[in-house]
Amino acid sequence: MPNTVLYDDGNHRNVLLEDFGLGGLAVQANQHMIVHGGSGMILDPGGHKVYSKVLTETFSVLGKAKLRYIFLSHQDPDIVAAVNGWLMTTDADAYISKLWMRFVPHFGFDHLVADRLKPIPDEGMVFDLEGARLLVLPAHFLHSEGNFQIYDPIAKILYSGDLDASLGMNYICVSDFDAHIPYMEGFHRRYMASNKVMKAWANMVRGLDIETIVPQHGAYFKGKKMVQRFIDWCADLECGVDLIEPLFKIPAA
Ligand code: FE
């Protein structure tokens, strides 16, 4: 499928890169770019399998713009594994939760670029992309202990990372919320930490003006109605430690 432009006002562009992960053993993953004026940012660039293709595509989307930030929502390999290559081939700084700073070098890290991996504090931060202020929202335990999402107030897009992930359907934009639930329910029940944290997240994002929620895996929600339904669904979902107790039994020998 071709790149999907989620927003474009001439100076500010949000692009969902063509899916390079479909069909293999690796989980399908979306790569996202935000370009504002002459500066760009890539979100969750992915692992080695997609590295060269995503890199090429990134430069073509950037055009004359320069890559400024590499945002790593959390520590999983489908996000972080190729970060050394990204740092070696661009001048961008990479940002990840301070909790994961000492783990990322295990993917292999050149000393040359080590000081360009930077920590995000627990309370989040703001990226300044040539004057566009992109909010880094705390989304801890959804699913990773040190996890962040990006809210872009110009495009009114929330980049939700693994929250809102769905697997197995053949569409990229959700048109029927109820029909979409089976594609995301199992993942959310097992990976997301608890209803308490889902509710905390829902309360936080209800304070934002959101038109689109896009995940790192699977289909996205467009329009206020869909966004509202997803947030409500999260706030009501039992998951993670709410459900895990019955599994704690010693396996039969
Ligand atoms: Fe993950």
Side-chain angles (χ1 to χ4, degrees):
M1 91 190 75
N3 292 343
T4 304
V5 177
L6 298 171
Y7 180 87
D8 187 355
D9 67 8
N11 189 48
H12 189 93
R13 266 181 308 145
N14 300 63
V15 182
L16 166 52
L17 297 189
E18 185 182 332
D19 181 15
F20 302 107
L22 262 184
L25 287 174
V27 65
Q28 183 277 339
N30 301 323
Q31 283 82 37
H32 291 285
M33 289 191 65
I34 305 174
V35 184
H36 186 84
S39 298
M41 169 170 170
I42 183 152
L43 289 76
D44 293 341
H48 298 293
K49 208 174 160 245
V50 296
Y51 168 69
S52 59
K53 284 179 184 158
V54 177
L55 191 71
T56 307
E57 199 56 34
T58 297
F59 285 127
S60 108
V61 170
L62 281 169
K64 284 192 181 121
K66 285 253 175 300
L67 193 70
R68 181 89 204 280
Y69 298 117
I70 299 162
F71 169 72
L72 308 166
S73 62
H74 62 291
Q75 82 290 7
D76 278 345
D78 55 326
I79 287 162
V80 171
V83 70
N84 189 56
W86 282 90
L87 289 170
M88 291 293 276
T89 47
T90 70
D91 294 322
D93 289 329
Y95 284 77
I96 192 164
S97 163
K98 65 173 188 178
L99 270 62
W100 302 124
M101 286 290 287
R102 310 258 302 156
F103 293 81
V104 173
H106 279 273
F107 283 114
F109 221 52
D110 286 288
H111 277 285
L112 212 63
V113 299
D115 62 341
R116 282 170 41 225
L117 180 70
K118 308 210 185 266
I120 306 173
D122 268 351
E123 59 272 26
M125 59 184 282
V126 178
F127 287 128
D128 186 332
L129 201 61
E130 255 186 53
R133 296 179 65 76
L134 307 170
L135 309 187
V136 184
L137 304 171
H140 307 305
F141 295 99
L142 301 172
H143 63 90
S144 167
E145 298 90 331
N147 186 54
F148 293 93
Q149 299 174 345
I150 298 277
Y151 174 67
D152 175 347
I154 297 175
K156 298 183 180 176
I157 294 174
L158 176 67
Y159 292 93
S160 57
D162 275 343
L163 191 70
D164 172 17
S166 51
L167 299 167
M169 66 282 127
N170 58 4
Y171 49 86
I172 185 77
C173 184
V174 179
S175 57
D176 180 336
F177 187 87
D178 292 307
H180 186 61
I181 290 175
Y183 295 111
M184 58 179 181
E185 194 167 29
F187 174 80
H188 284 74
R189 283 198 192 279
R190 182 62 183 86
Y191 279 74
M192 300 301 148
S194 74
N195 179 255
K196 187 175 179 177
V197 77
M198 288 289 249
K199 276 200 163 72
W201 173 83
N203 288 337
M204 173 182 69
V205 298
R206 278 183 181 128
L208 297 167
D209 183 8
I210 303 169
E211 282 291 341
T212 312
I213 299 184
V214 285
Q216 195 228 342
H217 307 282
Y220 64 90
F221 294 113
K222 194 165 175 51
K224 287 236 154 58
K225 234 183 178 163
M226 279 289 181
V227 165
Q228 189 63 50
R229 280 217 65 189
F230 178 67
I231 295 172
D232 291 346
W233 180 79
C234 286
D236 286 340
L237 191 75
E238 288 205 303
C239 53
V241 296
D242 306 325
L243 306 171
I244 205 76
E245 241 182 282
L247 263 180
F248 282 73
K249 287 181 196 131
I250 297 165

